[in-house]
Amino acid sequence: MPAVKQASRLVTAATVMAVAALAPGIAYAGGRGGDGNVGQTQQHGDSDGDGKLSATAGAVVFDRSKNGAGNAAGPVASSSGNWTPPACYYAPKYTPDELQKYLEPIWNAESTGSQWDQEQRDKYVNGGEAKDFNKEKTGKGYWWDSYVTPGREGDPGALKCTKGIFWVDEGAAPPADVPEAITPEMLAQLAYAEIRVPSTRVDLAPAGTTKVNLPTWAWLDTAKFKPVSVTASVPLLNVTATTTAEPVSLRIEPGTGDAQTYPASGVCEITGHGIGEAYAKGKAGDTPPCGVKYLRSSGDGSYKLRATITWKIHWTGTGVTEARKLPDGTFGADQDVVVQEIQSINR
């Protein structure tokens, strides 16, 4: 019953179990909290003594303490077409007691039909798949259910997870017919969506206002563009993955066809401790390693120069010691450049 599946997702968001045990720095022995509860919510934030932020999305916990920060920071866009992390996945959600507290109010409301309610009781209570919600296995496994990735609720991919709630013994693999069951690689992909990188506003010389046919130097200090990373984990399964983004190049788009970029491709690679080279006195006659030369005045307005950083993204995780690639990401920003005609005096 589609209505029942939808009801399941709505009630999931209201499950009220403590998630404090999932915060960084707190031991999580045996994959469970001290009371054996799964402890999940759809969204939760917490911070440790250093003020480093962590957050959860269902069974998945995100550690963003090594992420990019600042008001201008933003998410990277995949350079591989329409690639996106999974919109839904399966992971532990209920202990036997929690599943009982979740399902019995639905059955008792008698809004889903007596036939379906009885089928559910036969499945989870009367021995179809479990007796009394598998209470005899308390502490030895969890009931798994689907989660929708926050922000992806309207995505068609969120409808792929249609399998009903199922039991997995602790330490056992989920059923082979559940391709959306959480894995380290899926955690890495979810962490990819949480990556935030700093603004790509470049330093220019001349700054703000330049002249026609005058090479304008552009550069970035990579001290502002250190690698950033986000770690995603499912503490209940002792599974984790860390996704890291490293800046590799800067693309300059002048905002007009009446311009020449340096190099001609407009792509400036990272060399040493920066991208491009800071302008200094005595270099007026030199060609900048990274920059632009405007061939026409911007008149009474300005050109929108766009600077876009490409970030190489890779991950490691449980069972994965060597870095594995994910699609490169890009993040750009616009800045106004006024271009004036060079004034000359005829005598």
Short mmCIF file of all heavy atoms in Angstrom, two decimals, residues 63-105:
data_model
loop_
_atom_site.label_atom_id
_atom_site.label_comp_id
_atom_site.label_asym_id
_atom_site.label_seq_id
_atom_site.Cartn_x
_atom_site.Cartn_y
_atom_site.Cartn_z
N ASP A 63 30.71 14.21 10.47
CA ASP A 63 31.68 15.03 11.18
C ASP A 63 32.19 16.07 10.18
O ASP A 63 32.92 15.74 9.25
CB ASP A 63 32.82 14.18 11.72
CG ASP A 63 33.87 15.01 12.46
OD1 ASP A 63 33.72 16.25 12.50
OD2 ASP A 63 34.83 14.42 12.98
N ARG A 64 31.81 17.33 10.39
CA ARG A 64 32.17 18.40 9.47
C ARG A 64 33.27 19.30 10.04
O ARG A 64 33.46 20.42 9.57
CB ARG A 64 30.93 19.24 9.15
CG ARG A 64 29.77 18.45 8.55
CD ARG A 64 28.66 19.40 8.11
NE ARG A 64 27.52 18.69 7.54
CZ ARG A 64 26.42 18.38 8.20
NH1 ARG A 64 26.32 18.71 9.49
NH2 ARG A 64 25.43 17.77 7.62
N SER A 65 33.98 18.84 11.05
CA SER A 65 34.95 19.68 11.72
C SER A 65 36.13 20.07 10.83
O SER A 65 36.85 21.02 11.13
CB SER A 65 35.47 18.99 12.98
OG SER A 65 36.12 17.77 12.67
N LYS A 66 36.34 19.34 9.72
CA LYS A 66 37.43 19.67 8.80
C LYS A 66 36.90 20.19 7.48
O LYS A 66 37.59 20.16 6.46
CB LYS A 66 38.32 18.44 8.59
CG LYS A 66 38.99 17.96 9.86
CD LYS A 66 39.86 16.73 9.62
CE LYS A 66 40.51 16.26 10.91
NZ LYS A 66 41.32 15.02 10.70
N ASN A 67 35.68 20.68 7.50
CA ASN A 67 35.04 21.20 6.30
C ASN A 67 35.40 22.66 6.09
O ASN A 67 35.92 23.33 6.99
CB ASN A 67 33.52 21.06 6.43
CG ASN A 67 32.83 20.88 5.10
OD1 ASN A 67 33.47 20.85 4.05
ND2 ASN A 67 31.52 20.75 5.14
N GLY A 68 35.10 23.19 4.90
CA GLY A 68 35.28 24.61 4.65
C GLY A 68 34.27 25.41 5.45
O GLY A 68 33.18 24.92 5.77
N ALA A 69 34.63 26.64 5.81
CA ALA A 69 33.76 27.46 6.65
C ALA A 69 33.67 28.86 6.07
O ALA A 69 34.38 29.23 5.13
CB ALA A 69 34.29 27.50 8.07
N GLY A 70 32.77 29.66 6.65
CA GLY A 70 32.61 31.04 6.21
C GLY A 70 31.33 31.23 5.43
O GLY A 70 30.78 30.28 4.84
N ASN A 71 30.83 32.46 5.42
CA ASN A 71 29.56 32.76 4.76
C ASN A 71 29.60 32.50 3.26
O ASN A 71 28.57 32.23 2.64
CB ASN A 71 29.17 34.22 5.01
CG ASN A 71 28.83 34.47 6.47
OD1 ASN A 71 28.43 33.57 7.19
ND2 ASN A 71 29.02 35.72 6.91
N ALA A 72 30.80 32.62 2.66
CA ALA A 72 30.90 32.47 1.21
C ALA A 72 31.18 31.03 0.79
O ALA A 72 31.24 30.73 -0.40
CB ALA A 72 31.99 33.39 0.66
N ALA A 73 31.37 30.13 1.75
CA ALA A 73 31.64 28.73 1.41
C ALA A 73 30.39 28.10 0.81
O ALA A 73 29.26 28.49 1.12
CB ALA A 73 32.08 27.96 2.66
N GLY A 74 30.59 27.12 -0.06
CA GLY A 74 29.45 26.49 -0.70
C GLY A 74 29.76 25.09 -1.16
O GLY A 74 30.91 24.63 -1.11
N PRO A 75 28.73 24.35 -1.60
CA PRO A 75 28.92 22.97 -2.04
C PRO A 75 29.53 22.90 -3.43
O PRO A 75 29.33 23.79 -4.26
CB PRO A 75 27.49 22.42 -2.05
CG PRO A 75 26.64 23.62 -2.34
CD PRO A 75 27.33 24.78 -1.66
N VAL A 76 30.27 21.84 -3.69
CA VAL A 76 30.83 21.65 -5.03
C VAL A 76 29.77 21.02 -5.93
O VAL A 76 28.89 20.29 -5.46
CB VAL A 76 32.09 20.77 -5.00
CG1 VAL A 76 33.23 21.48 -4.28
CG2 VAL A 76 31.81 19.42 -4.34
N ALA A 77 29.86 21.32 -7.21
CA ALA A 77 28.99 20.71 -8.20
C ALA A 77 29.79 19.65 -8.95
O ALA A 77 30.93 19.92 -9.36
CB ALA A 77 28.45 21.75 -9.17
N SER A 78 29.24 18.47 -9.08
CA SER A 78 29.95 17.40 -9.77
C SER A 78 30.24 17.79 -11.21
O SER A 78 29.38 18.34 -11.91
CB SER A 78 29.12 16.12 -9.74
OG SER A 78 29.66 15.15 -10.62
N SER A 79 31.45 17.50 -11.65
CA SER A 79 31.82 17.79 -13.03
C SER A 79 31.44 16.63 -13.95
O SER A 79 31.67 16.70 -15.16
CB SER A 79 33.34 18.04 -13.13
OG SER A 79 34.06 16.89 -12.70
N SER A 80 30.85 15.58 -13.40
CA SER A 80 30.47 14.40 -14.19
C SER A 80 28.98 14.38 -14.46
O SER A 80 28.23 13.57 -13.91
CB SER A 80 30.89 13.12 -13.46
OG SER A 80 32.28 13.04 -13.32
N GLY A 81 28.53 15.31 -15.25
CA GLY A 81 27.14 15.33 -15.66
C GLY A 81 26.18 15.44 -14.51
O GLY A 81 26.30 16.34 -13.66
N ASN A 82 25.22 14.51 -14.44
CA ASN A 82 24.18 14.57 -13.42
C ASN A 82 24.45 13.65 -12.24
O ASN A 82 23.53 13.23 -11.55
CB ASN A 82 22.83 14.21 -14.06
CG ASN A 82 22.38 15.21 -15.09
OD1 ASN A 82 22.60 16.41 -14.93
ND2 ASN A 82 21.78 14.74 -16.17
N TRP A 83 25.73 13.34 -11.97
CA TRP A 83 26.05 12.45 -10.86
C TRP A 83 25.61 13.08 -9.54
O TRP A 83 25.85 14.25 -9.28
CB TRP A 83 27.55 12.19 -10.80
CG TRP A 83 27.93 11.25 -9.68
CD1 TRP A 83 28.00 9.90 -9.75
CD2 TRP A 83 28.25 11.60 -8.34
NE1 TRP A 83 28.35 9.37 -8.53
CE2 TRP A 83 28.52 10.40 -7.64
CE3 TRP A 83 28.34 12.80 -7.64
CZ2 TRP A 83 28.87 10.36 -6.29
CZ3 TRP A 83 28.68 12.78 -6.30
CH2 TRP A 83 28.96 11.57 -5.64
N THR A 84 24.94 12.28 -8.73
CA THR A 84 24.53 12.72 -7.39
C THR A 84 24.68 11.57 -6.41
O THR A 84 24.62 10.40 -6.81
CB THR A 84 23.06 13.20 -7.36
OG1 THR A 84 22.21 12.15 -7.85
CG2 THR A 84 22.87 14.44 -8.22
N PRO A 85 24.87 11.86 -5.13
CA PRO A 85 24.88 10.80 -4.12
C PRO A 85 23.52 10.14 -4.04
O PRO A 85 22.53 10.66 -4.57
CB PRO A 85 25.21 11.56 -2.83
CG PRO A 85 25.83 12.84 -3.27
CD PRO A 85 25.16 13.18 -4.57
N PRO A 86 23.43 8.98 -3.37
CA PRO A 86 22.14 8.28 -3.29
C PRO A 86 21.07 9.13 -2.59
O PRO A 86 21.34 9.82 -1.62
CB PRO A 86 22.46 7.02 -2.47
CG PRO A 86 23.73 7.34 -1.76
CD PRO A 86 24.49 8.26 -2.65
N ALA A 87 19.85 9.06 -3.13
CA ALA A 87 18.74 9.81 -2.55
C ALA A 87 18.08 9.04 -1.41
O ALA A 87 17.37 9.62 -0.60
CB ALA A 87 17.70 10.13 -3.62
N CYS A 88 18.30 7.74 -1.35
CA CYS A 88 17.77 6.94 -0.25
C CYS A 88 18.71 5.77 0.01
O CYS A 88 19.50 5.39 -0.85
CB CYS A 88 16.35 6.45 -0.53
SG CYS A 88 16.23 5.17 -1.80
N TYR A 89 18.62 5.22 1.18
CA TYR A 89 19.46 4.08 1.55
C TYR A 89 18.81 3.34 2.70
O TYR A 89 17.90 3.85 3.37
CB TYR A 89 20.87 4.55 1.93
CG TYR A 89 20.90 5.57 3.04
CD1 TYR A 89 20.96 5.20 4.39
CD2 TYR A 89 20.84 6.94 2.75
CE1 TYR A 89 20.97 6.15 5.40
CE2 TYR A 89 20.85 7.89 3.76
CZ TYR A 89 20.92 7.49 5.07
OH TYR A 89 20.91 8.44 6.08
N TYR A 90 19.27 2.12 2.94
CA TYR A 90 18.80 1.33 4.07
C TYR A 90 19.90 1.25 5.13
O TYR A 90 21.07 1.09 4.80
CB TYR A 90 18.43 -0.08 3.64
CG TYR A 90 17.19 -0.16 2.79
CD1 TYR A 90 17.28 -0.17 1.39
CD2 TYR A 90 15.92 -0.21 3.37
CE1 TYR A 90 16.14 -0.24 0.61
CE2 TYR A 90 14.78 -0.27 2.59
CZ TYR A 90 14.89 -0.28 1.21
OH TYR A 90 13.77 -0.34 0.43
N ALA A 91 19.51 1.35 6.38
CA ALA A 91 20.44 1.27 7.49
C ALA A 91 19.66 0.88 8.74
O ALA A 91 18.42 0.88 8.74
CB ALA A 91 21.16 2.60 7.69
N PRO A 92 20.34 0.51 9.83
CA PRO A 92 19.63 0.17 11.06
C PRO A 92 18.71 1.30 11.51
O PRO A 92 19.09 2.47 11.46
CB PRO A 92 20.76 -0.05 12.07
CG PRO A 92 21.94 -0.40 11.24
CD PRO A 92 21.80 0.39 9.98
N LYS A 93 17.53 0.95 11.97
CA LYS A 93 16.60 1.98 12.42
C LYS A 93 15.94 1.63 13.75
O LYS A 93 15.69 2.54 14.56
CB LYS A 93 15.54 2.26 11.36
CG LYS A 93 14.63 3.43 11.70
CD LYS A 93 13.76 3.84 10.51
CE LYS A 93 14.54 4.63 9.47
NZ LYS A 93 13.65 5.23 8.44
N TYR A 94 15.64 0.37 14.01
CA TYR A 94 14.88 0.04 15.20
C TYR A 94 15.47 -1.16 15.95
O TYR A 94 15.92 -2.13 15.33
CB TYR A 94 13.43 -0.34 14.86
CG TYR A 94 12.71 0.63 13.97
CD1 TYR A 94 12.49 0.34 12.62
CD2 TYR A 94 12.22 1.84 14.48
CE1 TYR A 94 11.81 1.23 11.81
CE2 TYR A 94 11.54 2.73 13.67
CZ TYR A 94 11.34 2.42 12.32
OH TYR A 94 10.68 3.30 11.51
N THR A 95 15.42 -1.10 17.27
CA THR A 95 15.55 -2.31 18.09
C THR A 95 14.17 -2.97 18.09
O THR A 95 13.17 -2.37 17.65
CB THR A 95 15.96 -1.96 19.52
OG1 THR A 95 14.90 -1.18 20.12
CG2 THR A 95 17.27 -1.17 19.55
N PRO A 96 14.06 -4.20 18.61
CA PRO A 96 12.72 -4.83 18.67
C PRO A 96 11.69 -3.98 19.41
O PRO A 96 10.56 -3.82 18.94
CB PRO A 96 13.01 -6.14 19.40
CG PRO A 96 14.40 -6.49 18.96
CD PRO A 96 15.12 -5.18 18.93
N ASP A 97 12.06 -3.41 20.56
CA ASP A 97 11.11 -2.58 21.31
C ASP A 97 10.71 -1.34 20.51
O ASP A 97 9.55 -0.92 20.53
CB ASP A 97 11.72 -2.15 22.64
CG ASP A 97 11.65 -3.26 23.68
OD1 ASP A 97 10.86 -4.21 23.49
OD2 ASP A 97 12.40 -3.17 24.68
N GLU A 98 11.67 -0.74 19.82
CA GLU A 98 11.38 0.47 19.05
C GLU A 98 10.43 0.17 17.89
O GLU A 98 9.54 0.97 17.59
CB GLU A 98 12.67 1.10 18.53
CG GLU A 98 13.52 1.71 19.62
CD GLU A 98 14.92 2.05 19.15
OE1 GLU A 98 15.22 1.87 17.96
OE2 GLU A 98 15.71 2.49 20.00
N LEU A 99 10.64 -0.98 17.23
CA LEU A 99 9.75 -1.33 16.13
C LEU A 99 8.33 -1.54 16.64
O LEU A 99 7.36 -1.12 15.99
CB LEU A 99 10.25 -2.58 15.41
CG LEU A 99 9.43 -2.96 14.18
CD1 LEU A 99 9.49 -1.86 13.12
CD2 LEU A 99 9.91 -4.29 13.58
N GLN A 100 8.20 -2.17 17.79
CA GLN A 100 6.87 -2.36 18.37
C GLN A 100 6.21 -1.00 18.64
O GLN A 100 5.04 -0.79 18.31
CB GLN A 100 6.97 -3.17 19.67
CG GLN A 100 5.61 -3.41 20.33
CD GLN A 100 5.73 -4.22 21.60
OE1 GLN A 100 6.83 -4.47 22.10
NE2 GLN A 100 4.60 -4.65 22.13
N LYS A 101 6.96 -0.08 19.25
CA LYS A 101 6.41 1.24 19.56
C LYS A 101 6.08 2.03 18.30
O LYS A 101 5.20 2.90 18.32
CB LYS A 101 7.40 2.02 20.42
CG LYS A 101 7.58 1.45 21.82
CD LYS A 101 8.67 2.19 22.59
CE LYS A 101 8.88 1.56 23.97
NZ LYS A 101 9.99 2.23 24.70
N TYR A 102 6.76 1.73 17.22
CA TYR A 102 6.49 2.41 15.95
C TYR A 102 5.27 1.85 15.24
O TYR A 102 4.40 2.59 14.77
CB TYR A 102 7.74 2.30 15.06
CG TYR A 102 7.50 2.66 13.62
CD1 TYR A 102 7.04 3.91 13.25
CD2 TYR A 102 7.76 1.73 12.61
CE1 TYR A 102 6.83 4.24 11.91
CE2 TYR A 102 7.55 2.04 11.29
CZ TYR A 102 7.08 3.30 10.93
OH TYR A 102 6.88 3.60 9.62
N LEU A 103 5.16 0.51 15.17
CA LEU A 103 4.11 -0.10 14.35
C LEU A 103 2.76 -0.22 15.06
O LEU A 103 1.71 -0.03 14.42
CB LEU A 103 4.56 -1.50 13.90
CG LEU A 103 5.64 -1.54 12.80
CD1 LEU A 103 6.01 -2.98 12.48
CD2 LEU A 103 5.16 -0.83 11.54
N GLU A 104 2.76 -0.51 16.34
CA GLU A 104 1.47 -0.76 17.00
C GLU A 104 0.52 0.44 16.94
O GLU A 104 -0.68 0.26 16.72
CB GLU A 104 1.70 -1.21 18.44
CG GLU A 104 2.15 -2.67 18.51
CD GLU A 104 2.16 -3.21 19.92
OE1 GLU A 104 2.18 -2.40 20.87
OE2 GLU A 104 2.14 -4.46 20.08
N PRO A 105 0.99 1.69 17.10
CA PRO A 105 0.05 2.81 16.95
C PRO A 105 -0.56 2.90 15.55
O PRO A 105 -1.71 3.31 15.40
CB PRO A 105 0.92 4.04 17.25
CG PRO A 105 2.01 3.52 18.13
CD PRO A 105 2.30 2.15 17.61
#
